[in-house]
Amino acid sequence: MVSAGWAIELSPIVTKAESRIVAQQPASLAAEPDRRSTHPKIELLNPGAEPRQQLRLEPAINVKQARVITLKIERGTSVNAQSSPALKLPGAVMTFETKVTKIDANGDIHYEFFFANADIAGDTANFPATAIDALRSQLKKMVGVKGSFIMDNRSFDKGGKFIYPEGVDSQLKQQFQQISKEQLSLPLPAEAVGKGAKWRVFSASNFNGINVNNIVTYELTGLQDGVVTLNSSIEQQANPQNLTRPQLPAGATLTLKSFVGQGGGEFIIRLDQLQPVRFIMSFNSHTEIVLKNPGNPEELTFKTQMSMEMTLDSK
């Protein structure tokens, strides 16, 4: 799901590099991504008005797309109720390219993916040069990652693999594994739909041991000449659960008390192209994690509020 997908999936890559800037939240407590998501399920809520049609992707072979994603994040953190001011982190701009290589008789789409560029953007005057350099270095490691994948004509992932440049570390490989093809796409309903149609997409993800439930609701606001306009609302939630981190000392426990996220956005897709041609979305989340060290009766409660804005544009 491009909304709850790329936005949520990319943010750990950016915030990991920015952890040197946000010293209030130890990097060891940040959830590193681990790709173990379930296949999304779609529920049609309203078929919409007549005329209706089935929404199916039908790109031609050799169709290329270049997309630029801009990500802006603001974070506030407290430890045992001692809060730090919200901090606007340097933005990230990332460019990726896709090319359709084959179309099967059943409509399955084979395509190539290439991460062409990544850099920081916006005002960085209030941040130490060493922190900016660290962020830029982390983002630049993404450049050159490529892969070959398959999705069906309703935008469901059907497999593939990434190919990494020499020298890419295992953490970055793990992060890219969960920027999956499901997250680069937008699942479409099986039924014919018209203007005003609504459908809901359910999925479950795992971010380094944190089980998260995702619900995205779409409303079809425009359909003309193969151009589809959608509004979306996003809900994410995680139940209380024990977490494991290799950085924790022996005997220490880490517990997720709560995670709630909400957001929404607007999408424009062309049925003759593989990916959306534009989207803009915002997302807010609240996380509470408790750390308990052996031999110390005091618990450390970390609370993080994050707001994120994300846009995707054709290049």
Coordinates of all heavy atoms in Angstrom, one line a residue, residues 74-124:
E74 N 8.9 15.3 11.9 CA 9.0 16.0 13.1 C 8.8 15.1 14.3 O 7.8 14.3 14.3 CB 8.1 17.2 13.2 CG 8.2 18.1 14.4 CD 7.3 19.3 14.4 OE1 7.0 19.7 13.3 OE2 7.1 19.9 15.5
R75 N 9.7 15.1 15.3 CA 9.6 14.2 16.4 C 9.7 14.9 17.7 O 10.5 15.8 17.9 CB 10.7 13.1 16.3 CG 10.6 12.2 15.1 CD 11.8 11.3 15.0 NE 12.0 10.5 16.2 CZ 12.8 9.4 16.2 NH1 13.5 9.1 15.2 NH2 13.0 8.8 17.4
G76 N 9.0 14.4 18.7 CA 9.1 14.8 20.0 C 9.2 13.6 20.9 O 8.6 12.6 20.7
T77 N 10.1 13.6 21.9 CA 10.4 12.5 22.8 C 10.4 12.9 24.2 O 10.9 14.0 24.6 CB 11.8 11.9 22.4 OG1 11.8 11.6 21.0 CG2 12.1 10.6 23.2
S78 N 9.9 12.0 25.1 CA 10.0 12.2 26.5 C 10.5 10.9 27.2 O 10.3 9.8 26.7 CB 8.7 12.6 27.1 OG 7.8 11.5 27.1
V79 N 11.3 11.1 28.2 CA 11.8 9.9 29.0 C 11.3 10.2 30.5 O 11.7 11.2 31.1 CB 13.3 9.8 29.0 CG1 13.8 8.6 29.8 CG2 13.8 9.7 27.6
N80 N 10.5 9.3 31.0 CA 9.9 9.4 32.3 C 9.3 10.8 32.5 O 9.6 11.5 33.5 CB 11.0 9.1 33.4 CG 11.3 7.6 33.5 OD1 10.7 6.8 32.8 ND2 12.1 7.3 34.4
A81 N 8.5 11.2 31.6 CA 7.7 12.4 31.6 C 8.5 13.7 31.4 O 8.0 14.8 31.5 CB 6.9 12.5 32.9
Q82 N 9.8 13.6 31.2 CA 10.7 14.7 31.0 C 10.8 14.9 29.5 O 11.4 14.1 28.8 CB 12.1 14.6 31.6 CG 12.0 14.5 33.1 CD 13.4 14.4 33.7 OE1 14.4 14.4 33.0 NE2 13.5 14.4 35.0
S83 N 10.1 15.9 29.0 CA 10.0 16.1 27.5 C 11.1 17.0 27.0 O 11.6 17.9 27.6 CB 8.6 16.7 27.2 OG 7.6 15.9 27.7
S84 N 11.4 16.7 25.7 CA 12.2 17.6 24.9 C 11.4 18.2 23.9 O 10.4 17.7 23.4 CB 13.3 16.7 24.3 OG 14.1 16.1 25.2
P85 N 11.8 19.5 23.4 CA 11.0 20.1 22.4 C 10.9 19.3 21.1 O 11.9 18.6 20.8 CB 11.8 21.5 22.2 CG 12.6 21.6 23.4 CD 12.9 20.3 23.9
A86 N 9.8 19.4 20.4 CA 9.7 18.8 19.1 C 10.8 19.3 18.2 O 11.1 20.5 18.2 CB 8.3 19.0 18.5
L87 N 11.3 18.4 17.4 CA 12.4 18.7 16.5 C 12.1 18.4 15.1 O 11.7 17.2 14.8 CB 13.7 17.9 16.9 CG 15.0 18.1 16.2 CD1 15.4 19.6 16.3 CD2 16.0 17.2 16.6
K88 N 12.2 19.4 14.2 CA 12.0 19.1 12.8 C 13.3 18.6 12.2 O 14.3 19.3 12.2 CB 11.6 20.4 12.1 CG 10.2 20.8 12.4 CD 9.7 22.0 11.5 CE 8.3 22.4 11.8 NZ 7.9 23.6 10.9
L89 N 13.3 17.4 11.7 CA 14.5 16.8 11.2 C 14.7 17.2 9.8 O 13.7 17.5 9.0 CB 14.4 15.2 11.3 CG 14.1 14.7 12.7 CD1 13.8 13.2 12.7 CD2 15.3 15.0 13.6
P90 N 15.9 17.1 9.3 CA 16.2 17.4 7.9 C 15.4 16.5 7.0 O 15.3 15.3 7.3 CB 17.7 17.2 7.7 CG 18.2 17.4 9.1 CD 17.2 16.9 10.0
G91 N 14.8 17.0 5.9 CA 14.0 16.2 5.0 C 14.9 15.4 4.1 O 16.1 15.5 4.0
A92 N 14.3 14.4 3.5 CA 15.0 13.4 2.6 C 14.2 13.5 1.3 O 13.0 13.5 1.2 CB 15.0 12.0 3.2
V93 N 15.0 13.4 0.2 CA 14.5 13.4 -1.2 C 15.1 12.1 -1.8 O 16.3 12.0 -1.9 CB 14.8 14.6 -2.0 CG1 14.3 14.5 -3.4 CG2 14.2 15.9 -1.3
M94 N 14.2 11.3 -2.3 CA 14.7 10.0 -2.9 C 14.0 9.8 -4.3 O 12.8 10.0 -4.4 CB 14.3 8.8 -2.0 CG 15.0 8.9 -0.6 SD 14.2 8.0 0.7 CE 12.9 9.2 1.2
T95 N 14.8 9.4 -5.2 CA 14.4 9.1 -6.6 C 14.5 7.7 -6.9 O 15.6 7.1 -6.7 CB 15.2 10.0 -7.6 OG1 15.1 11.3 -7.3 CG2 14.7 9.7 -9.0
F96 N 13.4 7.1 -7.4 CA 13.5 5.7 -7.9 C 12.9 5.6 -9.3 O 12.0 6.4 -9.7 CB 12.8 4.7 -6.9 CG 11.3 4.9 -6.8 CD1 10.5 4.0 -7.5 CD2 10.7 5.8 -6.0 CE1 9.1 4.2 -7.5 CE2 9.4 5.9 -5.9 CZ 8.5 5.1 -6.6
E97 N 13.3 4.6 -10.0 CA 12.8 4.3 -11.4 C 12.3 2.9 -11.5 O 12.8 2.0 -10.9 CB 14.0 4.6 -12.3 CG 14.6 6.0 -12.3 CD 15.9 6.1 -13.1 OE1 16.3 5.1 -13.6 OE2 16.4 7.2 -13.2
T98 N 11.3 2.8 -12.3 CA 10.8 1.4 -12.7 C 10.7 1.3 -14.2 O 10.5 2.3 -14.9 CB 9.4 1.2 -12.0 OG1 8.5 2.2 -12.5 CG2 9.5 1.2 -10.5
K99 N 10.8 0.1 -14.6 CA 10.6 -0.2 -16.1 C 9.9 -1.6 -16.2 O 10.3 -2.6 -15.6 CB 12.0 -0.3 -16.8 CG 11.9 -0.7 -18.3 CD 13.3 -0.8 -18.9 CE 13.2 -1.2 -20.3 NZ 14.5 -1.4 -20.9
V100 N 8.8 -1.6 -17.0 CA 8.1 -2.8 -17.3 C 8.8 -3.6 -18.3 O 9.2 -3.1 -19.4 CB 6.7 -2.5 -17.8 CG1 5.9 -3.8 -18.1 CG2 5.9 -1.7 -16.7
T101 N 9.1 -4.9 -18.0 CA 9.9 -5.7 -18.9 C 9.1 -6.8 -19.6 O 9.5 -7.4 -20.6 CB 11.1 -6.4 -18.1 OG1 10.5 -7.1 -17.0 CG2 12.0 -5.3 -17.6
K102 N 7.9 -7.2 -19.0 CA 7.2 -8.3 -19.5 C 5.8 -8.3 -19.0 O 5.5 -7.9 -17.8 CB 7.8 -9.7 -19.2 CG 7.1 -10.9 -19.7 CD 7.9 -12.2 -19.2 CE 7.1 -13.4 -19.6 NZ 7.8 -14.6 -19.1
I103 N 4.8 -8.7 -19.8 CA 3.4 -8.8 -19.4 C 3.0 -10.2 -19.7 O 3.0 -10.7 -20.9 CB 2.5 -7.8 -20.1 CG1 2.9 -6.4 -19.9 CG2 1.0 -8.0 -19.6 CD1 2.9 -5.8 -18.5
D104 N 2.5 -11.0 -18.7 CA 2.1 -12.4 -18.9 C 0.6 -12.4 -19.4 O -0.1 -11.3 -19.3 CB 2.1 -13.1 -17.6 CG 3.5 -13.4 -17.1 OD1 4.4 -13.4 -18.0 OD2 3.7 -13.6 -15.9
A105 N 0.2 -13.5 -20.0 CA -1.1 -13.6 -20.5 C -2.2 -13.4 -19.5 O -3.3 -12.9 -19.8 CB -1.3 -15.0 -21.1
N106 N -1.9 -13.7 -18.2 CA -2.9 -13.5 -17.1 C -2.9 -12.0 -16.6 O -3.6 -11.7 -15.6 CB -2.7 -14.5 -16.0 CG -1.4 -14.3 -15.3 OD1 -0.5 -13.4 -15.7 ND2 -1.1 -15.0 -14.2
G107 N -2.0 -11.2 -17.2 CA -2.0 -9.8 -16.8 C -0.9 -9.5 -15.8 O -0.7 -8.3 -15.4
D108 N -0.1 -10.5 -15.3 CA 1.0 -10.2 -14.3 C 2.0 -9.4 -15.0 O 2.4 -9.5 -16.2 CB 1.6 -11.5 -13.9 CG 0.7 -12.3 -12.9 OD1 -0.3 -11.8 -12.5 OD2 1.1 -13.4 -12.5
I109 N 2.5 -8.4 -14.2 CA 3.5 -7.4 -14.7 C 4.9 -7.7 -14.1 O 5.0 -7.7 -12.9 CB 3.0 -6.0 -14.3 CG1 1.6 -5.8 -14.8 CG2 4.0 -5.0 -14.9 CD1 0.9 -4.6 -14.2
H110 N 5.8 -7.9 -15.0 CA 7.2 -8.0 -14.6 C 7.9 -6.7 -14.8 O 7.7 -6.0 -15.8 CB 8.0 -9.1 -15.5 CG 7.4 -10.4 -15.4 ND1 8.1 -11.5 -14.9 CD2 6.2 -10.9 -15.7 CE1 7.4 -12.6 -14.9 NE2 6.2 -12.3 -15.4
Y111 N 8.7 -6.3 -13.7 CA 9.3 -4.9 -13.8 C 10.6 -4.9 -13.1 O 10.9 -5.7 -12.2 CB 8.4 -3.8 -13.3 CG 8.1 -3.9 -11.9 CD1 8.7 -3.0 -11.0 CD2 7.1 -4.7 -11.3 CE1 8.5 -3.0 -9.6 CE2 6.8 -4.7 -10.0 CZ 7.5 -3.9 -9.1 OH 7.2 -3.9 -7.8
E112 N 11.4 -3.9 -13.4 CA 12.7 -3.7 -12.8 C 12.6 -2.4 -11.9 O 11.8 -1.5 -12.3 CB 13.8 -3.5 -13.8 CG 14.1 -4.7 -14.6 CD 15.1 -4.5 -15.8 OE1 15.3 -3.3 -16.1 OE2 15.5 -5.5 -16.3
F113 N 13.3 -2.4 -10.8 CA 13.3 -1.3 -9.9 C 14.7 -0.8 -9.7 O 15.7 -1.6 -9.7 CB 12.7 -1.7 -8.5 CG 12.9 -0.8 -7.4 CD1 12.0 0.2 -7.1 CD2 14.1 -0.8 -6.6 CE1 12.2 1.0 -6.0 CE2 14.3 0.1 -5.6 CZ 13.3 1.0 -5.3
F114 N 15.0 0.5 -9.7 CA 16.3 1.1 -9.5 C 16.2 2.3 -8.6 O 15.4 3.2 -8.9 CB 16.9 1.4 -10.8 CG 18.3 2.0 -10.7 CD1 19.4 1.3 -10.3 CD2 18.5 3.4 -11.0 CE1 20.6 1.9 -10.1 CE2 19.8 3.9 -10.9 CZ 20.8 3.2 -10.5
F115 N 17.0 2.3 -7.5 CA 17.0 3.5 -6.6 C 18.1 4.4 -7.2 O 19.3 4.1 -7.0 CB 17.3 3.0 -5.2 CG 16.7 3.9 -4.2 CD1 15.6 3.4 -3.4 CD2 17.2 5.2 -3.9 CE1 15.0 4.2 -2.5 CE2 16.6 6.0 -3.0 CZ 15.5 5.5 -2.3
A116 N 17.7 5.5 -7.8 CA 18.6 6.3 -8.5 C 19.4 7.4 -7.7 O 20.5 7.7 -8.0 CB 17.9 7.0 -9.7
N117 N 18.7 7.9 -6.7 CA 19.4 9.0 -6.0 C 18.7 9.2 -4.6 O 17.5 8.9 -4.4 CB 19.3 10.3 -6.7 CG 20.3 11.4 -6.2 OD1 21.2 11.1 -5.5 ND2 20.0 12.6 -6.5
A118 N 19.4 9.8 -3.6 CA 18.9 10.1 -2.3 C 19.7 11.1 -1.7 O 21.0 11.1 -1.8 CB 18.8 8.9 -1.4
D119 N 19.1 12.1 -1.1 CA 19.9 13.2 -0.4 C 19.0 13.9 0.6 O 17.8 13.7 0.7 CB 20.4 14.2 -1.5 CG 21.7 14.9 -1.0 OD1 22.0 14.9 0.2 OD2 22.3 15.5 -1.9
I120 N 19.6 14.8 1.4 CA 18.8 15.6 2.3 C 18.4 16.8 1.6 O 18.9 17.2 0.6 CB 19.6 15.9 3.6 CG1 20.9 16.7 3.2 CG2 20.0 14.7 4.4 CD1 21.7 17.1 4.4
A121 N 17.3 17.5 2.2 CA 16.8 18.7 1.6 C 16.3 19.6 2.7 O 16.0 19.1 3.9 CB 15.6 18.3 0.7
G122 N 16.1 20.9 2.4 CA 15.5 21.8 3.4 C 16.6 22.5 4.2 O 17.8 22.3 3.9
D123 N 16.2 23.2 5.2 CA 17.1 24.0 6.0 C 17.9 23.0 7.0 O 17.2 22.3 7.8 CB 16.3 25.0 6.8 CG 17.2 26.0 7.6 OD1 18.4 25.9 7.5 OD2 16.7 26.8 8.4
T124 N 19.2 23.1 7.0 CA 20.0 22.2 7.9 C 20.9 23.1 8.8 O 21.8 22.6 9.4 CB 20.9 21.3 7.1 OG1 21.8 22.1 6.2 CG2 20.0 20.4 6.2

